Amino acid sequence: MSAAMLFINGEVVTVDSEFSVREAVAIEENKIIAVGTNEEILAQGSEGSTIINLEGRSILPGFIDAHAHLELYGTNKLGVNGKEAGSIKELLVKLKEKVKTTPAGEWIRGWGYNQNHYEEGRHLTRWDLDQVSTDHPIIVVRTCGHISCVNSKALELAGIDPQAEDPNGGKYVRENGEMTGLLMESAHMNMFLFANYSKEEVQQGLALASEDYLEKGITSVHDAGGYGPDHIRFLQEAVSARRIKQRIYALYGSLHDSPGMVAKGLESGIRTGLGDDWMKIGPAKVFIDGSSSGPTAKTREPYTNNPDDSGILYLNKQQLNESLGKAHKDGWQITAHAIGDEAVEMMIEAIRTALEVEPRQDHRHRIEHSGITPPDLLQRMKDLEVIPIPNPAFIYEFGDGYIRDYGGRVNSIFPLRSFSEYGVPFAIGSDSPITSVDPIHGIYTAVTRRSNSGNIIGAGQRITVQEAIKAYTWNGAYASFEEHVKGSIEPGKLADLVILNGSILTCELDRLRELKVECTILDGEIEYAAKKEGVT
Ligand SMILES: [Zn+2]
């Protein structure tokens, strides 16, 4: 038999059940055909084979990002990047630049501002944005994706008058009875849907996102949704046109009216698992609470620095149990966005109730984020076989704010060490564009729990590099019922692989982030190769 590509002299991180590390691997067409010593793999070769000498560098299963938003990441790239500004003043200058090339009446969009990182130390207001333009509607989304600020023109176009009542699960922030333009949670989601990008822009965005994710070694994405009801169709179009190169597991929900979207999915008669190796329908997903950094997450105890606030709920228990209970009964995998401990507990209870009514083996129900998860909840997750999808990169981005908002509870935020000890299989998601999509960065944050200022947030929850790699590969495959076809380097599995520019297992922890992806192989094809020292 002739092997198309033989990788030898490598650090082959197989992520098999023993986490064994081998020297070499062979792939042919779109499958892995052999793993072993250099001699064993070279014996697979024939005249037509390509031999690639890895010189000690790591080759891993392609990374699986278990929670990311391709559409949001991609369309953000079309707007103004507020993360690159250090102050409101600077952001306004960037927005004014965009006005120059945008016809009056069309949307100006920005994203990524964070009042905690801006010089002024306060949220944006519509009066700030009115200085940019009163002829264009303007929306700037906060870095968390749960809050935005709009100008007066946007409020006017959306028909939100000064007396408007707050929507369910959201808030129009007011000062002295006047709207400031700041929109919280569902108020933001409604506005964002109203301001949404065109179909063409979404397709353009998806292609940009896919390319960036490939550069980071990501070969599968659990897509966590967009704003509109057309999102799944947009994904499907982009996958079949190969604008999206990765394999997609599409969470079925919406950032806007998630129970409504789930109900439509149930009506249509489809269920989790429909599709093929390139795109599958994932779990039914609803939103329970807000974000960790707003903070708007629903917590059992009030925020440490504000005894009057314990976050926002999108749904009450009854609505949650009804929406996801039906989905479970219809055979769907179910999941929910839950960040605060009260929200996480609500989801655990929803899963328990659903299973009580309709017992099912191997359901693999998930909890997206599973932010604050104290010990009493861990045991219940273990008993119910729930899969959490944590985002350790949040700790880097927002960790210092967590100390202010949650105090000692930081020891239970994304508690990866505890998940491991309780035997709860967790799959890591970046929640890109909320944080960097780079899995190497994700692994770094999981093993160091360092914030961007260098503080260690909840030191007891650090895990090993091996555990973090598993959470980015095999566990991701498990969370989508696909561990038999991907997630490890074993004969018969899909040839989705990533090659780094060094050894991830012997690299000093503090230097992990210097590792780069050299090559991403998807379905046996080299889809990305770093320019300077590509392996081809
Ligand atoms: Zn998300």
Side-chain angles (χ1 to χ4, degrees):
M1 189 159 60
S2 74
M5 268 194 257
L6 313 176
F7 302 88
I8 59 163
N9 289 323
E11 176 184 77
V12 182
V13 185
T14 64
V15 198
D16 62 10
S17 56
E18 274 86 47
F19 207 89
S20 58
V21 180
R22 313 299 297 273
E23 274 178 335
V25 52
I27 66 174
E28 183 174 32
E29 292 182 357
N30 70 338
K31 295 272 166 60
I32 295 162
I33 58 161
V35 186
T37 62
N38 289 335
E39 291 68 37
E40 285 164 346
I41 294 308
L42 285 169
Q44 298 278 333
S46 68
E47 241 172 69
S49 310
T50 313
I51 298 172
I52 295 162
N53 187 344
L54 294 172
E55 295 168 339
R57 288 166 296 185
S58 300
I59 183 164
L60 302 104
F63 292 121
I64 298 173
D65 190 324
H67 182 120
H69 302 266
L70 279 157
E71 180 181 331
L72 303 188
Y73 178 94
T75 50
N76 275 351
K77 287 197 86 162
L78 306 175
V80 171
N81 186 342
K83 281 193 177 181
E84 287 169 1
S87 61
I88 292 177
K89 221 168 90 189
E90 251 180 76
L91 173 69
L92 299 186
V93 171
K94 284 167 156 287
L95 290 166
K96 277 180 192 154
E97 279 299 306
K98 194 80 178 177
V99 164
K100 286 185 194 156
T101 58
T102 311
E106 283 187 19
W107 280 93
I108 304 284
R109 303 179 185 87
W111 67 281
Y113 94 85
N114 183 344
Q115 76 281 8
N116 300 323
H117 294 172
Y118 275 7
E119 229 170 83
E120 293 86 350
R122 64 167 175 84
H123 277 291
L124 284 168
T125 68
R126 72 182 159 98
W127 301 290
D128 295 322
L129 298 179
D130 285 348
Q131 291 172 41
V132 174
S133 173
T134 48
D135 300 326
H136 301 74
I138 305 176
I139 181 166
V140 182
V141 182
R142 191 181 175 275
T143 180
C144 60
H146 286 245
I147 294 172
S148 59
C149 186
V150 294
N151 68 346
S152 303
K153 185 76 182 172
L155 286 175
E156 179 198 317
L157 288 179
I160 300 169
D161 60 59
Q163 279 73 45
E165 262 180 50
D166 289 345
N168 253 343
K171 197 158 91 183
Y172 302 125
V173 175
R174 293 163 222 254
E175 236 173 61
N176 309 319
E178 272 202 272
M179 294 223 181
T180 70
L182 196 64
L183 310 172
M184 314 285 278
E185 300 299 337
S186 68
H188 152 69
M189 304 290 181
N190 296 342
M191 180 63 85
F192 198 91
L193 181 64
F194 179 69
N196 222 347
Y197 285 89
S198 71
K199 220 172 115 178
E200 291 71 28
E201 286 168 321
V202 170
Q203 291 300 318
Q204 196 187 340
L206 289 172
L208 290 171
S210 174
E211 213 172 290
D212 284 6
Y213 285 25
L214 267 182
E215 265 190 54
K216 303 298 180 198
I218 295 168
T219 53
S220 289
V221 179
H222 296 194
D223 182 274
Y227 285 89
D230 298 327
H231 175 71
I232 299 263
R233 194 162 61 227
F234 288 159
L235 286 177
Q236 189 185 357
E237 268 178 46
V239 168
S240 38
R242 300 291 290 145
R243 276 187 286 272
I244 292 178
K245 299 277 177 59
Q246 284 84 359
R247 305 180 193 279
I248 300 295
Y249 190 60
L251 277 60
Y252 198 92
S254 170
L255 302 182
H256 167 83
D257 184 23
S258 56
M261 179 85 174
V262 166
K264 277 188 198 145
L266 299 191
E267 256 169 51
S268 75
I270 62 170
R271 67 171 64 159
T272 306
L274 175 70
D276 57 20
D277 284 344
W278 290 106
M279 179 166 170
K280 274 197 181 109
I281 295 294
K285 177 199 177 196
V286 298
F287 257 87
I288 300 182
D289 67 338
S291 81
S292 63
S293 75
T296 46
K298 188 67 185 167
T299 49
R300 287 164 163 175
E301 300 295 325
Y303 301 147
T304 304
N305 70 334
N306 185 355
D308 299 324
D309 197 355
S310 64
I312 287 182
L313 277 181
Y314 276 69
L315 299 166
N316 62 34
K317 284 178 192 165
Q318 198 196 334
Q319 291 165 320
L320 173 68
N321 292 0
E322 201 180 296
S323 171
L324 291 185
K326 274 191 196 142
H328 165 81
K329 205 158 181 245
D330 270 14
W332 287 70
Q333 182 187 29
I334 56 175
T335 193
H337 164 112
I339 302 249
D341 41 5
E342 186 168 325
V344 174
E345 184 170 20
M346 278 170 70
M347 185 55 183
I348 292 172
E349 273 306 292
I351 293 172
R352 193 188 58 74
T353 311
L355 286 166
E356 215 169 71
V357 176
E358 183 88 13
R360 194 205 307 172
Q361 295 295 312
D362 204 25
H363 52 77
R364 304 197 195 179
H365 293 334
R366 319 175 12 149
I367 300 182
E368 306 306 305
H369 313 299
S370 199
I372 302 179
T373 314
D376 65 304
L377 298 183
L378 288 162
Q379 189 56 50
R380 284 151 75 183
M381 286 173 90
K382 167 71 183 158
D383 295 344
L384 291 165
E385 299 178 350
V386 173
I387 305 171
I389 313 290
N391 325 100
F394 276 36
I395 291 162
Y396 181 81
E397 194 91 5
F398 308 121
D400 295 326
Y402 288 171
I403 294 176
R404 180 196 60 218
D405 296 329
Y406 307 116
R409 287 172 283 185
V410 296
N411 296 307
S412 300
I413 289 184
F414 306 122
L416 305 189
R417 165 63 44 218
S418 301
F419 287 147
S420 249
E421 283 169 2
Y422 277 79
V424 172
F426 58 98
I428 294 180
S430 65
D431 207 11
S432 163
I434 310 304
T435 64
S436 158
V437 75
D438 184 358
I440 298 291
H441 175 72
I443 290 169
Y444 166 82
T445 56
V447 302
T448 64
R449 287 181 74 100
R450 268 188 204 285
S451 72
N452 49 20
S453 69
N455 280 328
I456 296 178
I457 314 291
Q461 293 295 350
R462 289 175 295 191
I463 57 171
T464 65
V465 170
Q466 283 84 345
E467 287 170 306
I469 290 172
K470 186 157 188 251
Y472 251 114
T473 53
W474 196 92
N475 292 3
Y478 179 74
S480 64
F481 300 90
E482 291 172 299
E483 75 281 6
H484 54 291
V485 291
K486 62 187 184 190
S488 62
I489 302 183
E490 293 178 275
K493 286 202 169 177
L494 291 166
D496 294 354
L497 301 162
V498 56
I499 299 169
L500 304 180
N501 65 349
S503 151
I504 192 167
L505 298 180
T506 60
C507 179
E508 283 169 48
L509 294 191
D510 282 332
R511 305 193 64 176
L512 266 180
R513 286 193 304 165
E514 292 168 27
L515 286 175
K516 294 265 177 301
V517 168
E518 206 166 75
C519 181
T520 307
I521 297 165
L522 220 173
D523 211 45
E525 300 283 334
I526 294 178
E527 289 288 2
Y528 166 77
K531 285 202 184 73
K532 56 178 185 3
E533 38 172 10
V535 295
T536 45

mmCIF file of all heavy atoms in Angstrom, residues 67 69 224 255 285 287 337 369 431 434, ligand 1:
data_model
loop_
_atom_site.group_PDB
_atom_site.id
_atom_site.type_symbol
_atom_site.label_atom_id
_atom_site.label_comp_id
_atom_site.label_asym_id
_atom_site.label_seq_id
_atom_site.Cartn_x
_atom_site.Cartn_y
_atom_site.Cartn_z
ATOM 1 N N HIS A 67 -16.729 26.112 20.985
ATOM 2 C CA HIS A 67 -17.718 27.196 21.082
ATOM 3 C C HIS A 67 -17.117 28.461 20.481
ATOM 4 O O HIS A 67 -16.276 29.117 21.098
ATOM 5 C CB HIS A 67 -18.117 27.442 22.548
ATOM 6 C CG HIS A 67 -19.166 28.504 22.735
ATOM 7 N ND1 HIS A 67 -20.391 28.243 23.315
ATOM 8 C CD2 HIS A 67 -19.187 29.818 22.410
ATOM 9 C CE1 HIS A 67 -21.113 29.354 23.350
ATOM 10 N NE2 HIS A 67 -20.400 30.332 22.806
ATOM 11 N N HIS A 69 -18.033 31.805 17.404
ATOM 12 C CA HIS A 69 -19.047 32.437 16.547
ATOM 13 C C HIS A 69 -18.386 32.914 15.261
ATOM 14 O O HIS A 69 -17.880 34.038 15.192
ATOM 15 C CB HIS A 69 -19.681 33.625 17.269
ATOM 16 C CG HIS A 69 -20.332 33.285 18.568
ATOM 17 N ND1 HIS A 69 -21.676 33.005 18.666
ATOM 18 C CD2 HIS A 69 -19.841 33.180 19.820
ATOM 19 C CE1 HIS A 69 -21.976 32.741 19.934
ATOM 20 N NE2 HIS A 69 -20.888 32.838 20.655
ATOM 21 N N ALA A 224 -21.457 28.576 17.634
ATOM 22 C CA ALA A 224 -22.400 28.855 18.727
ATOM 23 C C ALA A 224 -23.501 29.822 18.334
ATOM 24 O O ALA A 224 -24.268 30.263 19.189
ATOM 25 C CB ALA A 224 -21.644 29.353 19.947
ATOM 26 N N LEU A 255 -28.913 34.268 19.046
ATOM 27 C CA LEU A 255 -28.620 35.228 20.103
ATOM 28 C C LEU A 255 -29.862 36.072 20.360
ATOM 29 O O LEU A 255 -29.989 36.731 21.373
ATOM 30 C CB LEU A 255 -27.432 36.098 19.715
ATOM 31 C CG LEU A 255 -26.151 35.311 19.409
ATOM 32 C CD1 LEU A 255 -25.013 36.241 19.072
ATOM 33 C CD2 LEU A 255 -25.760 34.437 20.580
ATOM 34 N N LYS A 285 -29.986 25.149 21.567
ATOM 35 C CA LYS A 285 -29.326 26.031 22.539
ATOM 36 C C LYS A 285 -30.188 27.236 22.902
ATOM 37 O O LYS A 285 -30.694 27.920 22.018
ATOM 38 C CB LYS A 285 -28.017 26.540 21.939
ATOM 39 C CG LYS A 285 -27.274 27.519 22.833
ATOM 40 C CD LYS A 285 -26.256 28.338 22.033
ATOM 41 C CE LYS A 285 -25.582 29.374 22.943
ATOM 42 N NZ LYS A 285 -24.897 30.426 22.165
ATOM 43 N N PHE A 287 -30.408 30.755 25.740
ATOM 44 C CA PHE A 287 -29.652 31.669 26.587
ATOM 45 C C PHE A 287 -30.289 31.744 27.962
ATOM 46 O O PHE A 287 -31.481 32.009 28.052
ATOM 47 C CB PHE A 287 -29.723 33.066 25.988
ATOM 48 C CG PHE A 287 -28.478 33.450 25.279
ATOM 49 C CD1 PHE A 287 -28.307 33.116 23.948
ATOM 50 C CD2 PHE A 287 -27.479 34.137 25.949
ATOM 51 C CE1 PHE A 287 -27.146 33.456 23.292
ATOM 52 C CE2 PHE A 287 -26.319 34.474 25.298
ATOM 53 C CZ PHE A 287 -26.151 34.135 23.971
ATOM 54 N N HIS A 337 -26.493 28.617 27.248
ATOM 55 C CA HIS A 337 -25.490 29.579 27.702
ATOM 56 C C HIS A 337 -25.769 29.837 29.184
ATOM 57 O O HIS A 337 -26.854 30.310 29.527
ATOM 58 C CB HIS A 337 -25.643 30.864 26.871
ATOM 59 C CG HIS A 337 -24.959 32.066 27.439
ATOM 60 N ND1 HIS A 337 -23.875 32.650 26.837
ATOM 61 C CD2 HIS A 337 -25.207 32.802 28.555
ATOM 62 C CE1 HIS A 337 -23.479 33.698 27.553
ATOM 63 N NE2 HIS A 337 -24.277 33.816 28.605
ATOM 64 N N HIS A 369 -20.151 27.489 28.442
ATOM 65 C CA HIS A 369 -19.401 28.334 29.396
ATOM 66 C C HIS A 369 -19.280 27.688 30.774
ATOM 67 O O HIS A 369 -18.202 27.512 31.276
ATOM 68 C CB HIS A 369 -19.985 29.753 29.524
ATOM 69 C CG HIS A 369 -20.277 30.387 28.203
ATOM 70 N ND1 HIS A 369 -19.297 30.625 27.276
ATOM 71 C CD2 HIS A 369 -21.444 30.777 27.607
ATOM 72 C CE1 HIS A 369 -19.828 31.148 26.181
ATOM 73 N NE2 HIS A 369 -21.133 31.248 26.355
ATOM 74 N N ASP A 431 -14.980 31.027 22.429
ATOM 75 C CA ASP A 431 -16.033 32.035 22.333
ATOM 76 C C ASP A 431 -15.582 33.199 21.456
ATOM 77 O O ASP A 431 -16.052 34.313 21.617
ATOM 78 C CB ASP A 431 -16.492 32.534 23.707
ATOM 79 C CG ASP A 431 -17.933 33.034 23.679
ATOM 80 O OD1 ASP A 431 -18.628 32.805 22.664
ATOM 81 O OD2 ASP A 431 -18.368 33.661 24.668
ATOM 82 N N ILE A 434 -15.156 36.908 21.240
ATOM 83 C CA ILE A 434 -15.068 37.517 22.572
ATOM 84 C C ILE A 434 -13.618 37.458 23.073
ATOM 85 O O ILE A 434 -13.134 38.381 23.719
ATOM 86 C CB ILE A 434 -16.008 36.802 23.577
ATOM 87 C CG1 ILE A 434 -17.427 36.668 23.003
ATOM 88 C CG2 ILE A 434 -16.027 37.518 24.916
ATOM 89 C CD1 ILE A 434 -18.086 37.951 22.582
HETATM 90 ZN ZN ZN B 1 -20.808 32.433 22.748
#
